[in-house]
Structures are given as structure tokens and as C-alpha cells.
Amino acid sequence: MKLAPLQQEFVLHFGEMGSRWGINRTVGQIYALLFLSAEPLNADQITEGLGISRSNTSMGLKELQSWNLVRLRHVPGDRREYFTTPEDMWEITRILIAERKKREIDPTLTKLRELEMSGRAGDDYAEARIAELREMIELMTGFYNDMEKLETERLVKLMTLGSKIAGLIDKTSGALTLGRRKETK
Amino acid sequence: MKLAPLQQEFVLHFGEMGSRWGINRTVGQIYALLFLSAEPLNADQITEGLGISRSNTSMGLKELQSWNLVRLRHVPGDRREYFTTPEDMWEITRILIAERKKREIDPTLTKLRELEMSGRAGDDYAEARIAELREMIELMTGFYNDMEKLETERLVKLMTLGSKIAGLIDKTSGALTLGRRKETK
DNA sequence: CAGAAATTTCAGTAATTTCTGAAATTCATA
DNA sequence: TATGAATTTCAGAAATTACTGAAATTTCTG
């Protein structure tokens, strides 16, 4: 399978970005190929399309499954396994954020709490710093947990409003500003 | 300089997490050491504290400077350079988000726009998929640009409110729901 | 349930990244 | 502006990560 120029360039880009995103080149490329493919692909098609070894494809697909980024499909009358990425862009986005949080943030939050509990010897400044960092992560992950629960429709609206949202918040009290906008001249 | 147990464990953790965060072990460790240090440290102190080579320290500090994560300080009567991390946890957070967006998201947004402009041959599905991805990134970065402009105080309040914010949005219109809460039974 | 197809595992190799020590350069001040 | 301290650069070594091909295992199907 020879890739179309569009796929080719997209696949190469994902391969290059892979290392910045915490995956390796082939994992990035496999994902890119599946993402653009209208039909599910099997491991041999991926192997041929990317010019890599069959075993590398197998490992890459396992990695993508551990990220929950690909879905397994079965084609009637074909015993091979086929793979796709979710159709819904929001589903993909939610998964990506959840998985990166799990890998990049959660372990540190756990470690910080352990350090605070265990009473390891350290100066006051260091202890205060660790507490500050933990609080920041808690604020961020707390907000994330709230947002993540919202239906996509509401999330889109909220994000589209952007900073208009902030105008609603009374700066001094932290409470929501009630009553209509524009009426308080 | 022998590190206190608290610093030791924190430094090791940052070293291990480094690769997931897109930096290498020593860069993570240098940052961790500076983050917990009440006083600015010079390169020799870092070198000794972490047990690494002087040149590695130099390269690590350069990397941290390219991330804008450390500040240069000069101590009167000492010609060596001293380094600190910003005191303000929010400053650190804002920088981290901005830098990761710059490295991990912006290049892809640019590439997607190029692909759409250049009219590379590709099937309809792939083109639609690329457009969808670009739109998602634009929605996210647009929201980020709005939030990033807010004063910290407002941002904290917004994040603390969390999903209460979403209740304000009228689901069907996308407009803000005006009038008092709780009054529309 | 035997055989073949599909998939996974894994040891060895290749590629890449990180780190070091020595040399070169920069910088401050006497 | 010459000197020595501080810092950076960089080629090679070490460590880590990625990839391959062959063998092992699993999974279907006749």
C-alpha cells in the first residue's frame, strides 16, 4: 500500500512529534495512519503502509491500546484483527487528556502526598514549596474532574464563550455575579 | 552538599518523571533541586548536589533557560551565576503550560493548516479528519488564549467554581443564562 | 482437535539520547 | 588589557530506547 501524499506527510509529522508526546516514532505513525483511514486496517496493512516490521506493528498497536486510543474491529469472514480510532473527535480528546494526566500528573500528586505524610526531614522552605505544588495540582485536577463530567455540548459552549465567562465572577467574593449583564451600568 | 531526605526523594522523582515530561533526567533533577532551594544555587552547587558532571549541569541549565523555567541571579561580590525558580507558583504554571503548548501543539496546528492549504492529494475522509483535528486544536488553543489573559485571582475563582460555571450556560442557545439562579424553579 | 493462520514475545542489534572530560571561549577585574 | 575564574562547547563513551527476525504462542477453522 502506497500512501497518498496527504497521509504520507501527516504520518511523518506524527512520527516526528511522537517523542515530544511521549510515544515513539512508529506508535505516532501507526496512530496517524489509523486516524486518517476511512476503513479499519489490519496489522499487515499497517506494516506495509509504514514500511516497518510486523513485530514493531504488533508492539505499537499494544501501546496504542494501553492508551485506549484505538478500537478493535472484526471484519466478517476475516480472522485478522482490524483497528480504528474513534470517530468522535471529542472522545479522542477526552481520552488523550485523561491518559496524559494519568501518566504525567497523577504519579507526582501521589508522591507529593507521600512526602508530606511521611515527614521526611527537610527545611521549612522545601516543605512549603511541596505543599504549594500539591495545592496547585489539586486545583488543576479538581477543575479537570469537574469539566470532564460535562456533556460535550456544554463543554463546547463553555470553551467558545472563553473569557466572557470570567466576567461573571465577582472579583472580590468569588461568588457568581447574579442579575442581568449590561443592566448594571 | 548532601541533600536532605526530602530533597533527595523529590529530586529522584523529578528525574524519573522527566522523560514523560519531555526533559531528560538531569534536567528534571536540576529543576527539582532549584525548586526546593530557599536560596539561589550556582552551577557548582548543583553539580555537587546531584553528583553529575559540570558540563551536564551547564547543558541542563541552558535547557531550563530555553523553557524559561529558571531565573538568573547575581550575588554581590561573587562572579558566579546563581539560579532560582520563580517564587510564584502561578507564574511557574503559566510558563509550563505556554511552553508545552509551544512545543507539543503549535507545530501540529501549523502543519495541519499547511496540509489544508497545499491541497495535497488525499481522500475526502482524510481531509475531513484533518479539518476536524484542526478545529479541535483551534477550539482548545482559543480557550487557552482567553484564559491565559485573565488575572490569576479570577482564574483561581473560576477554577474553584468548576462545574458550577457550566450551570450558567443555557444548553440550547449557548448564551449565558441571565437572571438569578434558583429562581426558575 | 489437528493444522494453519495470526499474533506476540524476546534476544540481539541498531539508533538515538544522554553524559563526561578536555579544550575552547567568555567574562570580570586588577 | 592580561590574567585567571567561570562557563560553554563538543567529540567520544555510556546508557537507554527502538526495532527486527525468528521462535513461541494463541486463535481460528475444517
Side-chain angles (χ1 to χ4, degrees), chain A residues 88-126:
Chain A
D88 179 10
M89 201 60 225
W90 269 95
E91 186 184 345
I92 293 174
T93 304
R94 286 173 184 272
I95 291 170
L96 208 53
I97 295 171
E99 292 290 325
R100 292 196 68 165
K101 170 181 172 289
K102 187 166 81 187
R103 287 165 169 77
E104 300 181 20
I105 298 174
D106 294 351
T108 296
L109 183 52
T110 300
K111 171 65 72 175
L112 295 177
R113 286 171 175 164
E114 282 171 16
L115 286 175
E116 288 184 314
M117 289 298 96
S118 74
R120 285 266 179 307
D123 57 295
D124 289 353
Y125 183 83

Side-chain angles (χ1 to χ4, degrees), chain B residues 24-162:
Chain B
N24 66 37
R25 181 170 55 230
T26 45
V27 171
Q29 291 184 345
I30 293 171
Y31 184 80
L33 190 62
L34 292 174
F35 179 79
L36 292 191
S37 175
E39 301 300 326
L41 299 177
N42 65 43
D44 288 325
Q45 295 173 303
I46 294 168
T47 297
E48 211 217 321
L50 300 180
I52 59 178
S53 71
R54 181 62 181 76
S55 54
N56 200 5
T57 301
S58 178
M59 292 186 298
L61 286 169
K62 263 194 89 174
E63 174 82 357
L64 286 172
Q65 284 175 294
S66 86
W67 279 78
N68 198 25
L69 282 171
V70 294
R71 301 278 167 270
L72 198 49
R73 297 275 293 273
H74 282 103
V75 171
D78 187 337
R79 49 194 283 202
R80 286 171 299 182
E81 293 181 319
Y82 284 76
F83 298 87
T84 53
T85 58
E87 268 307 306
D88 178 10
M89 201 60 227
W90 268 95
E91 187 184 345
I92 293 174
T93 304
R94 286 173 185 273
I95 290 170
L96 207 54
I97 295 171
E99 291 292 325
R100 292 195 67 166
K101 169 179 172 291
K102 188 167 82 187
R103 287 165 167 80
E104 300 180 19
I105 298 173
D106 293 352
T108 296
L109 183 52
T110 300
K111 170 63 73 176
L112 295 177
R113 286 170 175 163
E114 281 170 16
L115 286 176
E116 289 184 312
M117 290 297 97
S118 73
R120 285 268 179 306
D123 56 295
D124 290 353
Y125 183 83
E127 284 178 20
R129 228 30 189 156
I130 283 175
E132 267 192 299
L133 177 55
R134 175 187 47 74
E135 282 161 18
M136 176 60 82
I137 297 178
E138 281 171 349
L139 178 63
M140 293 279 169
T141 55
F143 184 67
Y144 163 74
N145 286 331
D146 272 6
M147 291 302 106
E148 170 267 324
K149 284 189 196 79
L150 296 179
E151 314 156 61
T152 293
E153 204 181 0
R154 273 178 185 248
L155 212 37
V156 172
K157 284 177 181 151
L158 199 150
M159 297 192 69
T160 307
L161 281 171

Side-chain angles (χ1 to χ4, degrees), chain A residues 19-84:
Chain A
S19 57
R20 302 195 196 183
W21 295 339
I23 54 178
N24 67 35
R25 181 171 55 231
T26 46
V27 171
Q29 291 184 345
I30 293 171
Y31 185 81
L33 191 61
L34 291 174
F35 180 80
L36 293 191
S37 175
E39 301 300 326
L41 300 178
N42 64 46
D44 287 324
Q45 294 173 306
I46 295 167
T47 298
E48 212 217 319
L50 300 180
I52 60 178
S53 70
R54 180 61 182 75
S55 55
N56 201 4
T57 300
S58 178
M59 292 186 299
L61 285 169
K62 263 193 90 174
E63 173 83 356
L64 287 172
Q65 283 175 293
S66 87
W67 280 79
N68 198 25
L69 281 171
V70 294
R71 300 279 167 269
L72 197 51
R73 297 275 294 272
H74 282 103
V75 172
D78 188 337
R79 50 189 283 200
R80 286 171 297 184
E81 292 181 321
Y82 284 76
F83 298 88
T84 52

